[in-house]
Amino acid sequence: MKARIGVVTFPGSLDDRDAARAVRLAGGEPVSLWHRDSDLAGVSAVVLPGGFSYGDYLRCGAIARFSPVMDAIIAAAGDGLPVLGICNGFQVLCESHLLPGALIRNDHRHFVCRDQALRIECTDTPWTRELTVGQTIVVPVKNGEGQYCADAATLAMLEAENRVVFRYTGGNPNGSAADIAGVRNAAGNVVGLMPHPEHAVEALTGPSTDGLALFTSVLRSLTRTGVPA
Amino acid sequence: MGARVVVDVMPKPELLDPQGQAIRKALGRLGFDSVSSVRQGKRFELEVDGDIDEATAQQMAETLLANTVIEEFRVRVERTP
């Protein structure tokens, strides 16, 4: 039986279909979760996709954070459920305080959309274990509010605890502190990043197929830890 | 008896405010070249039925209206007859 991976759709989500497709190409079974669901349908992991949930009203991710599905995800994440937030999903995870820091407007004020090289900094998460520390992957980045920021103490903690998972290399697209593209929580099961691995899963449409490794990683983690896969 | 809660939210001073910078530059182009800095914030006005205590107003601001990781806020409760 294939592992069931939930993909949440908020009003204004854009990349939920691509995330579901990435799950399928990696060998999993994508399960659509709606923002009003308070039940996670027994999925073994969850992806929060990119887009503009609730029109980015108030702050990116701020309204989505209080949706019923997020209450369920926050509780399950505390119990170790693997959660991946991509772009707007990363913003939702920061607003939920599942991840430290915040994403603010790009320092150059422009929306950026390009292929981006990322250095893998941490493979001690269910989403990155098939990658190698120091490896470079290329995936699209597309955001207007992707500048990662946190206070100096938080940034120092992230470095000391090896919680920076992805770092921009070959140019920082948005002014993010310490070139940070993605981070994890203390336990490692919650990972968020601004760039889009789900758009780099097929040669036809992506700059590479590097993004697939995040989805195959979580599927392998689920099998390995004995969670029904 | 009602109340109005006014919440002013500003980006923390140590954070870069790209929008404020863009506004300052635009002011300069309009000839207002003595403006050395602009920071852009938000103001919320909440009309409340009945009374509301300061602590509840504070809690609303802290929970939803502001993200205290990046923003500072100030809450004011105005009672209306």
Side-chain angles (χ1 to χ4, degrees):
Chain A
M1 206 176 111
K2 288 179 176 176
R4 299 169 73 245
I5 311 287
V7 178
V8 176
T9 300
F10 298 104
S13 291
L14 295 178
D15 300 324
D16 41 343
R17 296 298 181 100
D18 274 26
R21 184 174 175 76
V23 167
R24 194 163 55 243
L25 288 170
E29 181 192 339
V31 176
S32 293
L33 297 174
W34 183 233
H35 68 116
R36 284 197 184 135
D37 292 345
S38 46
D39 179 280
L40 299 182
V43 296
S44 304
V46 166
V47 179
L48 300 178
F52 300 88
S53 59
Y54 300 89
D56 274 354
Y57 292 170
L58 184 60
R59 293 176 306 277
C60 305
I63 311 277
R65 177 255 174 276
F66 292 102
S67 60
V69 77
M70 281 311 299
D71 289 339
I73 289 170
I74 291 166
D79 294 332
L81 182 81
V83 179
L84 177 69
I86 303 168
C87 195
N88 187 226
F90 185 18
Q91 294 165 336
V92 174
L93 291 175
C94 287
E95 283 283 343
S96 306
H97 304 301
L98 286 175
L99 293 174
L103 286 311
I104 62 171
R105 196 167 293 267
N106 296 347
D107 60 348
H108 48 71
R109 301 187 292 273
H110 297 286
F111 192 94
V112 61
C113 183
R114 72 182 198 204
D115 298 337
Q116 176 68 47
L118 303 176
R119 188 188 132 94
I120 306 302
E121 299 284 14
C122 172
T123 54
D124 196 17
T125 86
W127 299 99
T128 54
R129 61 185 39 164
E130 290 199 342
L131 294 159
T132 310
V133 172
Q135 179 185 349
T136 299
I137 65 170
V138 176
V139 303
V141 66
K142 46 166 196 167
N143 61 63
E145 302 192 34
Q147 180 183 174
Y148 184 78
C149 68
D151 60 35
T154 304
L155 291 172
M157 177 274 290
L158 288 171
E159 301 290 351
E161 296 180 6
N162 191 28
R163 286 174 56 180
V164 176
V165 180
F166 306 93
R167 220 184 286 271
Y168 297 115
T169 178
N172 180 333
N174 45 34
S176 290
D179 297 334
I180 291 172
V183 299
R184 66 172 174 88
N185 66 347
N189 60 306
V190 180
V191 172
L193 76 167
M194 283 313 292
H196 290 265
E198 84 286 14
H199 293 332
V201 294
E202 284 175 299
L204 180 66
T205 53
S208 74
T209 55
D210 294 345
L212 204 54
L214 279 82
F215 302 92
T216 54
S217 285
V218 76
L219 292 173
R220 207 178 76 177
S221 307
L222 294 171
T223 320
R224 196 196 273 171
T225 52
V227 176
Chain B
M1 166 92 185
R4 164 180 280 196
V5 178
V6 179
V7 182
D8 290 311
V9 177
M10 289 299 289
K12 283 188 176 175
E14 64 268 29
L15 281 186
L16 179 72
D17 177 10
Q19 295 185 103
Q21 283 185 344
I23 295 163
R24 183 186 58 79
K25 283 183 188 161
L27 285 171
R29 281 195 299 276
L30 290 170
F32 302 107
D33 42 18
S34 61
V35 178
S36 60
S37 168
V38 176
R39 298 187 71 75
Q40 180 183 331
K42 295 174 194 155
R43 174 184 162 107
F44 299 87
E45 297 179 349
L46 288 63
E47 303 300 334
V48 180
D49 295 331
D51 200 11
I52 184 169
D53 57 77
E54 316 280 335
T56 306
Q58 187 82 10
Q59 197 189 346
M60 290 194 296
E62 215 170 88
T63 314
L64 181 63
L65 303 181
N67 176 352
T68 54
V69 174
I70 48 172
E71 293 167 330
E72 298 176 337
F73 65 90
R74 204 176 52 216
V75 176
R76 209 164 60 241
V77 180
E78 298 166 357
R79 267 94 193 177
T80 48

